[in-house]
Amino acid sequence: MTTVEQEIYEPLNIETAIELSKNLQLFDHDDHLTSEEIGDGNLNLVFRVKNEHSGKSVIIKQALPYAKVVGSSWPLTLDRARIESESLKRTYQLVPKFTPKVYFSNTNLAVTVMDDLSDFTILRKGLIAGNIYPNLAKDIGHFLAHTLFFNSDFGLNQQEKKVQSSRFINPELCKITEDLVFTDPFYDHGTNNIDEDLKPFVSTMLWEDQSLKLEVATLKKAFLTKGETLVHGDLHTGSIFVREEDTVVIDPEFAFYGPMGFDIGAFIANIILNYLSQQVHLRNQFQRQEYQQYLLNIIDESWNAFSEEFTSLWNQYPQDVFMNIDGYLEQTLQEIFKDTIGFAGCKVIRRMIGLAGVEDVECISNQADRNKVKKAALTLGKKLIVERSQIATINELVKVVSEHA
Amino acid sequence: MTTVEQEIYEPLNIETAIELSKNLQLFDHDDHLTSEEIGDGNLNLVFRVKNEHSGKSVIIKQALPYAKVVGSSWPLTLDRARIESESLKRTYQLVPKFTPKVYFSNTNLAVTVMDDLSDFTILRKGLIAGNIYPNLAKDIGHFLAHTLFFNSDFGLNQQEKKVQSSRFINPELCKITEDLVFTDPFYDHGTNNIDEDLKPFVSTMLWEDQSLKLEVATLKKAFLTKGETLVHGDLHTGSIFVREEDTVVIDPEFAFYGPMGFDIGAFIANIILNYLSQQVHLRNQFQRQEYQQYLLNIIDESWNAFSEEFTSLWNQYPQDVFMNIDGYLEQTLQEIFKDTIGFAGCKVIRRMIGLAGVEDVECISNQADRNKVKKAALTLGKKLIVERSQIATINELVKVVSEHA
């Protein structure tokens, strides 16, 4: 008989975070460590534990048993910490260059200990500041191709894929997306956050448009039922850390088996929102045109990098005998592209009127300017949803986006 | 501390089956019971334990840890017994009239104890004998509507659906379908079972047709990724027990979260195969026409009963706010119908040349007659796959089927 001591969940503090790091032998016992809590406190505690002498540091992330949103708080499963750490470990197998290394995780404590990326910037802030990241598009395309392919029936043994999918059943966090991305913004719902001035526009543009709602219903159903691959589930520009030449994707707590296009669409949507916001941020016309062109190139290049790498993996590591049939790859990419555009449209809309805005747009202090950007985004988001079957190539998508600046 | 005695798997025999029934208090301790093994022994042991005096009896089904197929045997998970009993219990909640009641199940023993249906006939045998079951189509339509709707995101809380889906991850039995229905018949594969005379026809009709294979690849992908609802997974006419006016669906060991159209397609495919076989079985033209018309009516009526009942459930028990959007129900039914036709086509083909034939056709002793039926079935099966988007209504489907007699 073995006696198993089961750890009881308790939120860490600055001291116990240091203690845990030492117990895990990530530092020597007599190292002098500092610890600070650097999370935003809405969903998780995030500690940086550091040996100031050697400069070595780690991040300890611990899920909180609730989510704080706009003043209120609701209970939220700690299981998301397990999902996050399992997703990080799986992703590290596939694309270590773009993933923080996990040193320790514990389901009972809802804790993940991982690489500190303190010399990285959150991509969203970098883009708002107008910075250029020369490898970003290529890196994200590579990340998407490898994670989406090797977790799918195309690149993973089809029986292992089923077993793996059972570890990523994520009802509570999927529900957040189902409600806040695919439902509430399309109704006059209490969770929305809309300037009074915008309401009539939103009402006509979204809430009264039954044909739009039918398309959103179709996309929501795909989110609910299309278990193609292990998606990150929340791949906006706040989930991407960048340095001049490096890209790391973090925070996969929304991970689940969903449609391939969902992650690509989330990324593109957030580039689009930055693109539209630069209409206000960059007053100098030359600078603006140049930076907006850079953002359009990110959309174009990330898709092309994804589809080229996906094609290469498809040809090199086929798990299904049908994968050498003429036209199957092209049909698959076309379907992913169509889903990508539709999901991007939903993501754009939800960020303009839903519970969670994006700093790119919300930081525009002039209300008229801000609402002008929001109207452009809502118009574009709707177009992406409704016309996703007509937009056949990434060039056409870029053209449609550029017409909405 | 509790000590849990874990039962160790051991195949039952006639004596231990009686013992188990008494231990479960399904009979009195001093009842005189008889026991016989009535399974076909390929996958499961099936015991009927009976009190000859009172007439009361139960069925004890126990999974074997292997499958015997065409002389060889391969290991097969006992977990399918858990899946079967959980599926039966869930189905009994929804449609008790059409489901055997489970009295006991045990995962370690891989045992399910349930209603004895000894006064029922396997539908396949009843149809081969040319019997008429007036309620069959309506019953199956009702069964399909209730099970497919209430296990889907349309009729079940969308978070509960995710949790439920985790209990029906069924890699090994899904692989049987992936290989034997969606792959091997479309290649010159060792598991196929083809008369030499038919080979050139099959080669031209299936193996050399790249555009057919692209469509099959698309359907296989739907089987692999479209987690719409808890399907039975093997709803052929051998999984349906009938009496004059009663219908009971058994053997859901292939149950998993898959596409709505899969069960409907399996049922229709097997009606089609009986329909085509009657071309030989019923030599009297008048009798043949009458019975074949009855079979066509089953196809027509079962779909109509399904879609009417599904519509009624959709309107009464919507789980999603989008379900009242104009056109969403129609679009959903159209998609289910298209999948149904495609899956029916695959099922028809696999039964003609794959590992497992159907008695309806295999019992035709004259080789020329048998191969004529097989050719008609292969031609029709292919048409259903390739033209599933063009066949828009159940009447059109019936017409297409009738043209292949």
Side-chain angles (χ1 to χ4, degrees), chain B residues 184-356:
Chain B
D184 299 354
F186 302 95
Y187 291 87
D188 186 4
H189 196 281
T191 62
N192 292 329
N193 183 15
I194 312 176
D195 279 8
E196 278 306 313
D197 287 3
L198 266 183
K199 267 208 171 169
F201 180 84
V202 169
S203 182
T204 312
M205 173 69 77
L206 306 183
W207 300 340
E208 291 160 26
D209 187 335
Q210 300 296 303
S211 63
L212 168 68
K213 286 186 182 179
L214 181 55
E215 295 304 326
V216 175
T218 307
L219 289 160
K220 182 179 182 182
K221 192 193 163 229
F223 183 83
L224 287 162
T225 63
K226 205 168 179 176
E228 291 181 329
T229 195
L230 181 61
V231 296
H232 177 283
D234 196 27
L235 192 58
H236 57 82
T237 48
S239 296
I240 299 171
F241 262 140
V242 284
R243 257 189 330 209
E244 172 74 9
E245 306 219 322
D246 297 301
T247 312
V248 174
V249 175
I250 60 167
D251 287 353
E253 58 197 344
F254 283 78
F256 78 110
Y257 260 80
M260 296 242 181
F262 191 69
D263 281 351
I264 318 176
F267 176 73
I268 288 178
N270 280 271
I271 300 298
I272 285 174
L273 290 176
N274 188 270
Y275 171 88
L276 296 177
S277 76
Q278 296 296 354
Q279 207 66 19
V280 177
H281 294 314
L282 291 170
R283 296 286 176 182
N284 174 304
Q285 196 195 336
F286 175 73
Q287 277 187 345
R288 183 172 71 235
Q289 279 177 355
E290 192 177 45
Y291 197 68
Q292 286 187 320
Q293 187 55 52
Y294 163 66
L295 293 166
L296 294 179
N297 290 348
I298 291 179
I299 296 173
D300 182 71
E301 283 175 26
S302 58
W303 172 264
N304 285 331
F306 162 75
S307 66
E308 281 163 27
E309 191 66 19
F310 190 89
T311 299
S312 159
L313 299 175
W314 178 286
N315 292 323
Q316 281 180 79
Y317 306 105
Q319 283 284 342
D320 197 299
V321 65
F322 287 105
M323 288 168 69
N324 68 3
I325 298 298
D326 277 355
Y328 192 24
L329 169 64
E330 292 70 17
Q331 174 182 297
T332 301
L333 283 170
Q334 200 56 48
E335 187 184 337
I336 297 172
F337 187 63
K338 181 180 160 189
D339 286 352
T340 293
I341 298 173
F343 291 134
C346 294
K347 290 275 198 178
V348 163
I349 286 173
R350 83 86 155 228
R351 291 295 194 175
M352 293 301 94
I353 58 172
L355 186 62

Side-chain angles (χ1 to χ4, degrees), chain A residues 195 197-198 280 283 361 364-376:
Chain A
D195 280 6
D197 288 2
L198 266 184
V280 178
R283 295 289 175 182
V361 177
I364 298 171
S365 51
N366 180 292
Q367 191 189 18
D369 283 347
R370 193 173 61 239
N371 282 347
K372 212 168 151 191
V373 170
K374 287 193 175 185
K375 281 186 181 177

Side-chain angles (χ1 to χ4, degrees), chain A residues 110-401:
Chain A
V111 152
T112 307
V113 183
M114 62 189 130
D115 277 338
D116 182 18
L117 302 166
S118 56
D119 48 342
F120 283 67
T121 310
I122 289 287
L123 175 60
R124 187 183 303 286
K125 292 189 186 293
L127 296 179
I128 292 171
N131 296 334
I132 299 275
Y133 301 99
N135 296 335
L136 173 67
K138 178 171 69 58
D139 287 352
I140 290 297
H142 184 98
F143 173 90
L144 289 166
H146 282 252
T147 57
L148 302 184
F149 180 82
F150 281 116
N151 290 314
S152 80
D153 290 295
F154 299 125
L156 177 62
N157 174 288
Q158 299 179 346
Q159 276 43 64
E160 278 177 41
K161 178 248 186 177
K162 293 178 181 72
V163 174
Q164 176 163 289
S165 77
S166 71
R167 300 211 311 274
F168 294 98
I169 308 277
N170 199 352
E172 284 190 48
L173 274 75
C174 283
K175 179 160 174 60
I176 295 175
T177 306
E178 285 151 27
D179 288 349
L180 300 188
V181 176
F182 290 109
T183 311
D184 299 355
F186 302 94
Y187 291 87
D188 186 4
H189 195 281
T191 61
N192 292 330
N193 183 17
I194 312 177
D195 280 6
E196 277 307 313
D197 288 2
L198 266 184
K199 268 209 169 166
F201 179 84
V202 170
S203 181
T204 311
M205 173 69 74
L206 306 183
W207 300 339
E208 292 161 27
D209 187 335
Q210 300 295 303
S211 63
L212 169 67
K213 286 185 183 180
L214 181 55
E215 295 303 326
V216 175
T218 307
L219 288 161
K220 182 179 182 182
K221 191 192 163 229
F223 183 83
L224 287 162
T225 62
K226 204 167 180 175
E228 290 180 328
T229 195
L230 181 61
V231 296
H232 177 283
D234 197 26
L235 192 58
H236 57 82
T237 47
S239 296
I240 299 172
F241 261 140
V242 285
R243 251 184 343 201
E244 172 74 9
E245 306 220 321
D246 297 301
T247 312
V248 174
V249 174
I250 59 168
D251 287 353
E253 59 198 344
F254 284 78
F256 78 108
Y257 260 81
M260 297 244 181
F262 191 68
D263 282 351
I264 320 176
F267 177 73
I268 289 178
N270 281 269
I271 300 298
I272 286 174
L273 291 175
N274 188 270
Y275 171 88
L276 296 177
S277 76
Q278 296 297 353
Q279 207 66 21
V280 178
H281 294 315
L282 291 171
R283 295 289 175 182
N284 175 303
Q285 197 195 332
F286 175 73
Q287 276 186 346
R288 184 171 71 235
Q289 279 177 354
E290 194 178 43
Y291 198 69
Q292 285 187 322
Q293 187 55 51
Y294 164 66
L295 293 167
L296 294 179
N297 290 348
I298 290 179
I299 296 174
D300 181 70
E301 284 174 24
S302 59
W303 171 264
N304 286 331
F306 162 75
S307 65
E308 281 164 27
E309 191 65 22
F310 191 89
T311 298
S312 160
L313 299 176
W314 178 286
N315 291 324
Q316 281 181 79
Y317 306 106
Q319 283 286 342
D320 197 298
V321 67
F322 287 105
M323 288 168 70
N324 68 3
I325 298 299
D326 277 352
Y328 191 25
L329 170 64
E330 293 70 18
Q331 174 181 297
T332 301
L333 283 171
Q334 200 57 48
E335 188 184 338
I336 297 172
F337 187 63
K338 181 179 160 189
D339 285 354
T340 293
I341 299 173
F343 291 134
C346 294
K347 289 275 195 174
V348 163
I349 287 173
R350 83 85 156 228
R351 291 293 194 175
M352 294 302 94
I353 59 172
L355 186 62
V358 284
E359 194 186 339
D360 318 52
V361 177
E362 296 305 329
C363 72
I364 298 171
S365 51
N366 180 292
Q367 191 189 18
D369 283 347
R370 193 173 61 239
N371 282 347
K372 212 168 151 191
V373 170
K374 287 193 175 185
K375 281 186 181 177
L378 290 168
T379 307
L380 173 56
K382 174 172 170 173
K383 191 181 180 79
L384 297 183
I385 294 170
V386 175
E387 297 183 15
R388 66 191 188 285
S389 299
Q390 283 87 64
I391 302 171
T393 66
I394 191 67
N395 289 338
E396 287 176 47
L397 175 62
V398 166
K399 185 159 171 290
V400 169
V401 173

